[in-house]
Amino acid sequence: MAFWLDLMFGHPIGFMSMIVIFATIGIMSYLTWMFISKSKPQ
């Protein structure tokens, strides 16, 4: 856990990569939710 905290807050590159990872997870979950909700029968 200390390694992840040092990676996130110790280096700006690590912080930016964590932002990119969380944004990618958010976008993919939104697209999955939209696909599931659109493919339900009306």
Side-chain angles (χ1 to χ4, degrees):
M1 189 67 186
F3 172 72
W4 288 105
L5 288 175
D6 183 49
L7 189 65
M8 280 178 63
F9 301 111
H11 307 285
I13 295 175
F15 184 65
M16 289 298 292
S17 67
M18 293 301 287
I19 290 176
V20 168
I21 288 170
F22 285 128
T24 306
I25 291 172
I27 290 170
M28 289 304 294
S29 61
Y30 173 71
L31 289 176
T32 305
W33 172 78
M34 195 167 63
F35 177 74
I36 291 172
S37 64
K38 291 286 184 183
S39 61
K40 284 182 184 174
Q42 297 294 331

